[in-house]
Amino acid sequence: MPLRLHDTLERRQIDFEPIDPDGPVTFYTCGPTVYDYAHIGNFRSFLNADVLRRTLEFLGYEVRHVMNITDVGHMTDDAVADGGGEDKMAVAGKRLQEAKKSGRLPEGVELDPDDPNAIADFYAEAFMEDGRILGLGVVDDAEKDPTLMPRPTRWIPQMIALIERLIEDGNAYVGGDGAVYFSVASFPAYGRLSGNTVDALRAGEGGRVSSTNQAAKRHPADFLLWNPDPSHLMRWASPWGEGYPGWHLECSAMAQGLLAADEGPHAGQIDLHSGGEDNIFPHHECEIAQSCAASKSERFARHWFHTRHLVVEGEKMSKSGGNFHTVRDILDRGVTPAALRLELVRTHYRQNANFTMQGLRDCGRMVDRWCRLRDRLVAGRVVPGEGPGPLESALAGFEAAVSDDLNLARAIGVLNEAANASRLDDDAESGSSERAAAELAALLRMDGILGVLDRNVVRASDAEAGGLTAEIESKIAARTEAKARKDWAAADAMRDELAAMGIAIKDGPDGTTWTRIVE
């Protein structure tokens, strides 16, 4: 069954066809800028890319997936091609300086606010920890092969070489201010991805083009490749003087250097490129221009995959609005990583998603049910029957749903329908059977895309705080003893005590489990 994906450049669904049918699918994802903890809106985009990668693997493809970690060059105003506002690493330094003065640095954190490399290292590790918890496959891969999560600060020589090539070919020039700019006039296809035209991209029109140093440019839409700004914290020597790379350039150098062929009919091309919809312009538009100009290729990425925005309880996420959440904020409420992951991916990636606490509760219950089903299948508690069971029979429908532009809502519906139809016998003796094994394999295969069954646990750092685990387990044991004595009043009282502590308990065939109650 072919995978059909919506391609942002073509503005329609097309069959996914890799450049090399016999080689790995080459997939590049724009990753985080590590000046703060990544928020759940960021992770919606990253997790949808992970679902795409898992779907490709489900369908039999080998995937080489690269996600960058931006540690230089990104400005606070990235809606303009040159970037505007402040250096994000400088913003992080100021924030940490204020926290240090007021004694509000997180416990155990000792960062030098004046050291951008230390700041980047700290938040990069925090991102990777969050990614591991939520099941980002690229993070696990990068632990074995660090090149899969490259850092721009380690690619400066390759970026300088790319700029030199663009200047030599007439696609870039040194402006009157000493900065190096890409000439959009040299690339007639500029604007095709976003729908912007070069003529419309003039200074001051819709905030699309930075008005900074316009006199130094040949065209208002020309964008920075190398910036000599002396106020920037991180700077390197170059043929054009000390400076730092433009943030669009970073991804072109790393994506082509790590994924694309150097020569042949598809030189400079990769199969897939993903990011949030806010990356379409200017970031990905500029990436296409640089990459295609350097490689002389008509395409940079064969397929462009963009995730739409996330709102919280129907409102735009903002710190001032009190609805700005990091992954850690949500997990600290006792939410399982499985529930958070499912809530962030179950709405189609091309629709705006509304993140709600009720949605988290619904996802938690859904995952709990799948986990109970898995545990009973492991125990072999299946009613015997002829032919494939409901889960095994559902695989074709599940595959059809995910192959239709990653329709996870439909795929989840297929799984739930099969779970409802599963005939299980909790009174049967535990044991293995071919039918149970086949049903379990089908469930695990579907979870290979959803990625939730092994993440349905409260984060250990939260559960163990203040000896909480021991207290909860003690109360659960006391309740179990009361039930054995048929002292229902005592058992109910113990359940109420746990509920007052914010703990929900669930009785199942394999004992009693507990989770935090999400408020």
Side-chain angles (χ1 to χ4, degrees):
M1 185 176 298
L3 171 62
R4 289 187 62 79
L5 285 176
H6 184 273
D7 177 47
T8 307
L9 188 67
E10 295 290 339
R11 293 171 175 75
R12 61 187 176 92
Q13 277 193 30
I14 58 176
D15 286 351
F16 173 73
E17 296 180 356
I19 294 170
D20 181 0
D22 300 320
V25 171
T26 50
F27 185 6
Y28 186 88
T29 294
C30 281
T33 300
V34 284
Y35 78 114
D36 203 346
Y37 295 108
H39 57 68
I40 56 175
N42 301 139
F43 265 96
R44 184 186 185 221
S45 176
F46 303 145
L47 287 171
N48 275 315
D50 186 68
V51 167
L52 174 53
R53 176 249 181 90
R54 288 167 176 260
T55 298
L56 288 163
E57 292 173 338
F58 178 95
L59 296 174
Y61 293 100
E62 179 188 354
V63 182
R64 179 170 169 78
H65 189 191
V66 170
M67 175 189 283
N68 71 298
I69 291 183
T70 300
D71 58 358
V72 65
H74 206 151
M75 311 300 282
T76 53
D77 183 3
D78 54 16
V80 295
D82 285 347
E86 296 182 80
D87 169 14
K88 286 192 173 184
M89 301 310 295
V91 170
K94 291 177 183 177
R95 184 179 65 246
L96 290 168
Q97 188 69 55
E98 292 173 1
K100 188 174 183 179
K101 287 180 180 177
S102 60
R104 290 183 291 105
L105 271 181
E107 186 176 350
V109 174
E110 296 183 5
L111 282 179
D112 181 355
D114 297 319
D115 184 352
N117 291 305
I119 293 170
D121 288 344
F122 175 80
Y123 286 116
E125 182 52 43
F127 171 79
M128 294 184 74
E129 181 182 344
D130 291 346
R132 280 190 292 269
I133 290 170
L134 292 182
L136 281 183
V138 68
V139 173
D140 290 335
D141 291 347
E143 291 182 348
K144 302 172 186 174
D145 181 0
T147 65
L148 298 178
M149 295 194 77
R151 303 265 291 265
T153 51
R154 299 164 191 174
W155 278 73
I156 300 300
Q158 293 90 333
M159 294 180 211
I160 290 174
L162 180 55
I163 295 172
E164 289 177 322
R165 191 183 322 155
L166 291 170
I167 292 175
E168 182 180 344
D169 292 343
N171 299 112
Y173 60 93
V174 180
D177 54 358
V180 182
Y181 295 95
F182 184 89
S183 171
V184 296
S186 72
F187 188 73
Y190 189 80
R192 184 183 167 197
L193 180 73
S194 61
N196 294 313
T197 63
V198 172
D199 289 341
L201 291 171
R202 300 185 183 280
E205 291 186 0
R208 294 278 187 185
V209 178
S210 172
S211 59
T212 304
N213 294 332
Q214 290 301 311
K217 298 181 180 182
R218 296 175 183 172
H219 188 283
D222 292 350
F223 57 88
L224 281 165
L225 299 176
W226 190 262
N227 194 335
D229 179 5
S231 67
H232 200 271
L233 290 178
M234 305 168 84
R235 301 166 60 77
W236 292 267
S238 82
W240 318 284
E242 254 195 11
Y244 67 96
W247 67 288
H248 315 304
L249 184 78
E250 300 168 3
C251 289
S252 289
M254 293 185 292
Q256 289 192 317
L258 289 168
L259 296 173
D262 293 329
E263 54 187 24
H266 302 296
Q269 294 186 33
I270 63 174
D271 287 308
L272 282 161
H273 197 313
S274 75
E277 69 172 340
D278 54 324
N279 288 145
I280 295 173
F281 187 89
H283 186 46
H284 289 165
E285 193 76 79
C286 295
E287 268 194 74
I288 291 172
Q290 299 161 161
S291 303
C292 291
S295 65
K296 309 305 178 191
S297 172
E298 292 184 1
R299 297 286 293 252
F300 170 32
R302 294 280 290 271
H303 296 260
W304 286 91
F305 178 91
H306 290 101
T307 293
R308 297 202 66 184
H309 292 299
L310 176 138
V311 298
V312 176
E313 304 289 354
E315 300 291 335
K316 183 177 179 180
M317 188 165 56
S318 68
K319 291 183 178 179
S320 60
N323 66 347
F324 182 93
H325 302 303
T326 66
V327 168
R328 292 158 188 242
D329 295 334
I330 299 298
L331 296 183
D332 282 345
R333 296 178 180 223
V335 175
T336 65
L340 178 54
R341 179 182 171 101
L342 191 61
E343 170 70 357
L344 289 175
V345 301
R346 64 174 176 162
T347 299
H348 194 268
Y349 75 92
R350 293 192 59 235
Q351 298 176 354
N352 288 333
N354 185 26
F355 180 92
T356 68
M357 293 302 158
Q358 182 59 51
L360 275 176
R361 287 189 285 270
D362 293 342
C363 286
R365 284 192 289 268
M366 202 161 9
V367 176
D368 283 345
R369 185 177 175 224
W370 297 339
C371 285
R372 289 194 298 272
L373 175 59
R374 175 199 58 190
D375 294 343
R376 293 156 87 185
L377 290 171
V378 169
R381 293 188 169 116
V382 178
V383 176
E386 296 295 327
L391 290 166
E392 192 176 3
S393 299
L395 275 174
F398 187 91
E399 179 177 339
V402 296
S403 296
D404 181 16
D405 201 24
L406 305 191
N407 191 333
L408 276 199
R410 196 169 90 213
I412 291 169
V414 169
L415 172 54
N416 282 331
E417 185 176 349
N420 288 337
S422 295
R423 300 181 63 201
L424 305 174
D425 183 2
D426 287 333
D427 294 327
E429 292 185 7
S430 296
S432 61
S433 71
E434 289 186 8
R435 188 178 182 85
E439 288 290 87
L440 177 62
L443 176 62
L444 296 180
R445 181 156 165 72
M446 288 185 268
D447 184 59
I449 288 178
L450 300 175
V452 295
L453 293 183
D454 290 336
R455 294 177 178 82
N456 196 34
V457 292
V458 177
R459 190 172 56 159
S461 59
D462 177 65
E464 294 170 1
L468 184 60
T469 297
E471 183 179 359
I472 291 170
E473 296 296 346
S474 175
K475 290 182 181 295
I476 289 175
R479 176 176 173 270
T480 301
E481 291 175 4
K483 288 175 66 179
R485 298 192 309 268
K486 297 187 178 181
D487 186 349
W488 310 120
D492 289 345
M494 202 63 65
R495 177 187 287 273
D496 292 342
E497 285 185 28
L498 288 163
M501 294 168 61
I503 303 300
I505 58 174
K506 299 177 184 180
D507 297 316
D510 299 312
T512 301
T513 59
W514 62 273
T515 60
R516 288 280 200 157
I517 297 172
V518 182
E519 299 177 354

